[in-house]
């Protein structure tokens, strides 16, 4: 598994809320901004993205917008148009009468764990990916997502979740390739031959004994040069990165499996359950078992009211 896949596999959509709405101008949709990450795709027509005092952003057919959590925002046919909440709009359904129409697809993610939080922290409030910055495969994925969102068949939720994941991967790749300064440190490291080798190995085998000396040897660099380069590009020390990666894998196992703590500890590179529990408590303020119980109780599916 490559590094990008490893990161995004643990920040994936789960039980995402979808809507595909046709609107005839004038129209407006209002979003609370409470969701940690929402994707909007303008399948046809034009519109504007408006948020607070910020300058409105013009949207055209095929534009993809990723919106992270924050203050309420609007997608409207024209500045000043009356708006309805996305919850009310979903209940009312699409407009069927003739006129200048736009169709907006929205998908709200459920993002879990530190990997998801780190991903969101690397993004600005809004990311816009116009069609000319999308690959042909991304545009194909958008078409498939739009088609499936209009269906009502067995297994649809799982399929829509995965298609939303696919849109996220394509959108992030396009965004980060436009300007690597926007990308998280681990993504910038992939452009450096030695660091890329280390990142690939560490993500494939987080349980390995990754000392600075071993990582420097893998990168074919001196210990001092490797440490300095790693910290400059990624923004933290090699040891801190490995610990964060292991904690992310541990969170994933605790949330999504019933594996015993000793098994989780071994999987993420700790020789015993006590050493793992100490490291986990230092990072999270709770013992692994307590954290698992608390997070599972608080992770009940969100409903459409939180849009």
């Amino acid at each position: 598994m490559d590094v990008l896949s490893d990161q995004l596999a643990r920040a994936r959509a789960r039980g995402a809320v979808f809507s595909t709405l046709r609107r005839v101008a004038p129209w407006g949709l209002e979003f609370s901004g409470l969701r940690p990450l929402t994707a909007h795709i303008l399948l046809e027509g034009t519109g504007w993205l408006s948020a607070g005092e910020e300058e409105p952003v013009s949207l055209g057919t095929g534009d993809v917008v990723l919106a992270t959590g924050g203050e309420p925002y609007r997608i409207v046919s024209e500045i000043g148009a009356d708006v309805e909440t996305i919850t009310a709009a979903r209940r009312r359904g699409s407009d069927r009468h003739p006129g200048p129409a736009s169709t907006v697809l929205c998908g709200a993610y459920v993002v879990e764990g530190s990997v998801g939080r780190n991903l969101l922290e690397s993004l600005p409030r809004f990311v816009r990916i116009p069609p000319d910055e999308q690959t042909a495969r991304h545009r194909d994925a958008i078409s498939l997502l739009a088609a499936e969102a209009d269906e009502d068949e067995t297994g649809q939720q799982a399929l829509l979740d995965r298609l939303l994941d696919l849109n996220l991967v394509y959108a992030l790749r396009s965004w980060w390739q436009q300007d690597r300064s926007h990308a998280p440190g681990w993504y910038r490291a992939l452009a450096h031959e030695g660091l890329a080798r280390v990142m690939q190995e560490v993500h494939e085998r987080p349980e390995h004994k990754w000392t600075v000396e071993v990582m420097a040897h893998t990168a074919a660099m001196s210990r001092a040069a490797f440490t300095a380069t790693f910290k400059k590009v990624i923004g933290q020390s090699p040891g801190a990165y490995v610990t964060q990666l292991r904690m992310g894998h541990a969170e994933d196992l605790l949330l999504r499996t019933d594996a015993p703590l000793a098994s989780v500890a071994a999987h993420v590179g700790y020789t015993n359950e006590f050493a793992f529990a100490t490291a986990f408590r230092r990072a999270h303020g709770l013992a692994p078992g307590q954290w698992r119980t608390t997070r599972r109780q608080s992770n009940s599916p969100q409903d459409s009211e939180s849009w």
Side-chain angles (χ1 to χ4, degrees):
M1 178 181 287
D2 64 75
V3 178
L4 178 58
S5 296
D6 183 44
Q7 293 289 73
L8 294 179
R10 291 175 288 120
R12 65 195 308 182
R14 176 182 60 82
V17 180
F18 278 87
S19 68
T20 304
L21 297 170
R22 181 182 185 270
R23 285 290 181 266
V24 175
W27 57 268
L29 302 173
E30 184 171 52
F31 301 84
S32 70
L34 295 177
R35 288 278 179 172
L37 182 63
T38 306
H40 303 285
I41 306 173
L42 194 59
L43 299 176
E44 67 168 331
T46 60
W48 293 86
L49 172 67
S50 174
E53 299 300 318
E54 296 181 27
E55 189 72 21
V57 176
S58 177
L59 302 178
T61 299
D63 278 0
V64 173
V65 174
L66 300 179
T68 58
E71 295 299 312
Y73 61 96
R74 301 173 173 189
I75 298 178
V76 297
S77 60
E78 56 199 67
I79 304 303
D82 290 338
V83 298
E84 58 185 335
T85 67
I86 184 61
T87 302
R90 292 179 73 238
R91 289 173 181 156
R92 184 164 71 84
S94 288
D95 293 339
R96 298 302 179 189
H97 53 276
S102 299
T103 301
V104 184
L105 183 150
C106 304
Y109 292 83
V110 176
V111 182
E112 299 173 326
S114 61
V115 174
R117 291 193 300 274
N118 291 339
L119 173 65
L120 296 181
E121 288 170 1
S122 75
L123 297 175
R125 181 70 206 284
F126 300 105
V127 173
R128 172 178 165 266
I129 310 295
D132 61 1
E133 294 178 10
Q134 299 166 13
T135 65
R137 285 174 292 182
H138 189 184
R139 292 191 292 272
D140 288 343
I142 289 171
S143 297
L144 183 56
L145 179 57
E148 289 296 335
D150 272 340
E151 300 295 328
D152 186 14
E153 298 182 5
T154 303
Q156 183 190 38
Q157 184 66 64
L159 184 57
L160 289 174
D161 284 353
R162 300 294 75 77
L163 287 171
L164 195 59
D165 287 339
L166 193 60
N167 173 67
L168 179 61
V169 173
Y170 280 129
L172 289 177
R173 271 202 320 210
S174 295
W175 171 248
W176 290 337
Q177 286 169 3
Q178 293 301 313
D179 185 351
R180 286 183 178 269
S181 67
H182 290 112
W186 56 263
Y187 187 86
R188 295 195 300 271
L190 301 181
H192 186 288
E193 183 179 355
L195 294 185
R197 233 179 357 256
V198 172
M199 299 296 283
Q200 181 73 26
E201 291 289 332
V202 169
H203 278 257
E204 284 186 356
R205 298 184 295 152
E207 76 284 356
H208 187 69
K209 188 175 181 180
W210 290 110
T211 64
V212 175
E213 288 77 10
V214 170
M215 287 188 279
H217 177 76
T218 302
M221 300 170 68
S222 71
R223 187 183 191 280
F226 170 74
T227 301
T229 303
F230 192 101
K231 190 166 185 178
K232 179 181 178 180
V233 174
I234 296 179
Q236 58 188 148
S237 70
Y241 184 86
V242 171
T243 298
Q244 183 182 74
L245 176 66
R246 287 172 171 170
M247 291 299 103
H249 276 273
E251 289 176 6
D252 197 48
L253 289 169
L254 292 169
L255 279 173
R256 300 183 184 181
T257 77
D258 293 318
L261 297 184
S263 175
V264 174
H267 187 85
V268 298
Y270 290 88
T271 55
N272 59 69
E273 186 178 331
F274 177 77
F276 166 62
T278 300
F280 193 92
R281 188 181 292 107
R282 185 181 302 119
H284 297 82
L286 288 173
Q290 292 174 304
W291 186 90
R292 171 187 263 171
T293 300
T294 301
R295 290 303 298 268
R296 285 186 172 183
Q297 289 173 346
S298 66
N299 273 355
S300 57
Q302 295 169 297
D303 60 30
S304 59
E305 300 299 325
S306 61
W307 280 52

